[in-house]
């Protein structure tokens, strides 16, 4: 094994959580890694009053009240819970600094963990094998210039990436068909243009943000709107959300995004897409959206980072301002890529 050089070791250190922080977080996660404590935490978080007594929590299980008190003490010791004695009862509540984190744990992380454990993506893949095989065969027939084994690869890879993304499982197959089809169309379009005699290289632009639910979707739609077929445009996210932000979806509809031309249904019209290696390899320009996301650094690529606000956190006026800023940036990039653009 090749030893890390001092510079590469420093590079890895800059990307990793600090040891002190990791130790602190690990202690907190260790305290939470007990089913009864998680049940008690969820009961407190969902209580209308925001606080619960030891006696009420004891009804969640058949263990003794002292055992319940022990588990609550563990959660108090890590600073997650606070407690007040009133008369003969002790009331427990979540400390304000932890409320947002607990909500994220219970509302997002817990459902995702349960879904992954109950329906692992490899199991799902086996269950939909016939549908995926039919899909790959249909795409191979529709796109004869793409080898059948490549259609199979794109379909399987697209499905697996979308499963990891999460969201409504009922939409996985139609989304897979749409995603795989669009990937093949993009590749064939670029290949046909580049092999045509006397034509210039067709620029390819990839817009990336973590969730692919706002900024990158809107930037891609604006580029398609202005560039037409002069640029191959993609958007993607390293951790795509389940759906596009509602405010951005309205703007995408107004732009008449070209990718909606032959959608299966509305859910496949605008949806967050996973970041794939082929999208990065094909891109001439990779634009991240000021959200801390990263892409593989490949030679010969142009990388830009646009510091743009997040539509998910913005007011309607803020979303409009973000749209206007992206509009200016997109038109400037297009004029640079296709100089005759005015």
């Amino acid at each position: 094994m090749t030893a890390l050089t001092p510079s590469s070791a420093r590079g890895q250190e800059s990307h990793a959580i600090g040891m002190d922080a990791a130790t602190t977080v690990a202690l907190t996660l260790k305290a939470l890694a007990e089913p009864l404590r998680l049940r008690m935490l969820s009961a407190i978080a969902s209580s209308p009053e925001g606080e619960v007594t030891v006696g009420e929590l004891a009804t969640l299980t058949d263990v003794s009240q002292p055992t319940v008190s022990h588990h609550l003490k563990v959660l108090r010791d890590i600073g997650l819970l606070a407690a007040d004695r009133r008369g003969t009862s002790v009331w427990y509540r979540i400390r304000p600094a932890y409320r947002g984190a607990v909500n994220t744990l219970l509302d997002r992380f817990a459902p995702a963990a349960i879904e992954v454990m109950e329906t692992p993506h490899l199991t799902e893949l086996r269950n939909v094998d016939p549908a995926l095989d039919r899909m790959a065969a249909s795409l191979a027939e529709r796109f004869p210039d793409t080898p059948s084994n490549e259609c199979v690869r794109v379909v399987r890879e697209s499905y697996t990436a979308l499963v990891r993304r999460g969201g409504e499982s009922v939409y996985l197959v139609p989304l897979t068909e749409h995603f795989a089809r669009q990937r093949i169309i993009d590749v064939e379009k670029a290949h046909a243009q580049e092999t045509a005699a006397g034509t210039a290289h067709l620029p390819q632009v990839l817009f990336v943000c973590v969730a692919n639910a706002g900024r990158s979707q809107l930037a891609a739609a604006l580029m398609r709107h202005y560039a037409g077929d002069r640029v191959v445009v993609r958007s993607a996210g390293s951790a795509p959300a389940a759906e596009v932000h509602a405010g951005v979806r309205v703007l995408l509809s107004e732009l008449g995004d070209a990718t909606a031309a032959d959608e299966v249904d509305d859910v496949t019209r605008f949806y967050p897409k996973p970041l794939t290696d082929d999208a990065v390899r094909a891109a001439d320009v990779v634009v991240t959206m000021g959200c801390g996301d990263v892409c593989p650094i490949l030679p010969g690529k142009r990388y830009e980072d646009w510091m743009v606000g997040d539509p998910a956190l913005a007011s309607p006026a803020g979303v409009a301002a973000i749209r206007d800023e992206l509009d200016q940036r997109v038109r400037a990039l297009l004029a640079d890529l296709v100089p005759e653009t005015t």
Side-chain angles (χ1 to χ4, degrees):
M1 181 180 293
T2 303
L4 291 175
T5 64
S7 60
S8 62
R10 287 194 297 271
Q12 293 301 317
E13 181 67 26
S14 69
H15 292 294
I17 185 174
M19 180 56 72
D20 290 344
T23 301
T24 300
V25 173
L27 287 172
T28 303
L29 293 177
K30 183 178 180 180
L32 289 171
E34 207 288 328
L36 180 54
R37 291 175 201 159
L38 285 173
R39 294 196 70 202
M40 292 190 295
L41 187 64
S42 67
I44 297 171
S46 61
S47 170
E49 296 80 18
E51 54 184 4
V52 178
T53 66
V54 175
E56 291 171 324
L57 293 172
T59 62
L60 293 173
T61 180
D62 56 2
V63 301
S64 64
Q65 188 162 313
T67 300
V68 173
S69 297
H70 163 73
H71 287 303
L72 290 170
K73 182 179 184 301
V74 172
L75 297 178
R76 283 187 66 185
D77 289 345
I78 63 169
L80 207 156
L81 296 182
D84 291 323
R85 177 175 291 278
R86 301 171 202 159
T88 59
S89 298
V90 178
W91 294 79
Y92 287 85
R93 64 183 183 279
I94 298 169
R95 289 186 180 276
Y98 264 114
R99 284 176 188 161
V102 170
N103 288 338
T104 298
L105 170 69
L106 298 174
D107 296 342
R108 302 191 64 180
F109 180 82
I114 292 170
E115 182 176 356
V116 168
M117 292 300 293
E118 290 183 346
T119 56
H121 69 270
L122 291 178
T123 299
E124 291 190 17
L125 193 60
R126 287 195 296 270
N127 291 340
V128 297
D129 267 347
L132 297 182
D133 289 341
R134 289 192 298 271
M135 188 185 303
S138 175
L139 290 173
E141 182 178 349
R142 180 173 178 180
F143 302 103
D145 292 336
T146 300
S148 58
N149 62 335
E150 178 65 7
C151 290
V152 171
R153 183 193 70 81
V154 172
V155 165
R156 297 279 174 158
E157 184 183 86
S158 298
Y159 179 83
T160 302
L162 287 168
V163 168
R164 291 170 178 161
R165 183 202 72 161
E168 293 291 336
S169 59
V170 69
Y171 297 130
L172 280 173
V173 171
L175 281 178
T176 297
E177 196 276 339
H178 189 78
F179 187 33
R181 183 176 69 243
Q182 192 60 52
R183 291 173 65 186
I184 293 173
I185 289 173
D186 287 344
V187 171
E188 288 204 347
K189 181 194 299 182
H191 180 72
Q193 196 276 343
E194 289 173 4
T195 56
T199 59
H201 172 73
L202 192 68
Q204 299 197 40
V205 180
L206 172 64
F207 294 99
V208 181
C209 65
V210 174
N212 189 223
R215 288 164 285 193
S216 56
Q217 289 273 356
L218 188 52
L222 286 164
M223 180 62 80
R224 293 189 192 99
H225 176 72
Y226 289 119
D229 59 3
R230 293 171 296 173
V231 177
V232 175
V233 186
R234 299 179 181 88
S235 71
S238 59
E243 58 185 22
V244 173
H245 300 314
V248 172
R249 182 180 289 270
V250 172
L251 295 176
L252 295 177
S253 296
E254 293 173 353
L255 285 168
D257 190 350
T259 59
D262 60 350
E263 67 270 14
V264 177
D265 51 39
D266 187 61
V267 74
T268 64
R269 188 178 183 189
F270 310 121
Y271 65 99
K273 293 168 282 294
L275 182 63
T276 59
D277 289 341
D278 57 348
V280 180
R281 287 194 302 268
D284 299 297
V285 182
V286 178
V287 181
T288 52
M289 312 301 292
C291 51
D293 210 3
V294 294
C295 282
I297 303 300
L298 301 179
K301 310 295 181 186
R302 171 178 167 183
Y303 292 86
E304 296 189 8
D305 187 39
W306 294 357
M307 299 299 294
V308 183
D310 187 353
L313 306 176
S315 65
V319 173
I322 291 169
R323 191 259 187 217
D324 291 343
E325 181 177 352
L326 286 173
D327 186 280
Q328 293 179 2
R329 289 178 177 270
V330 163
R331 284 189 284 124
L333 177 58
L334 177 58
D336 188 33
L337 295 175
V338 187
E340 66 271 20
T341 302
T342 58

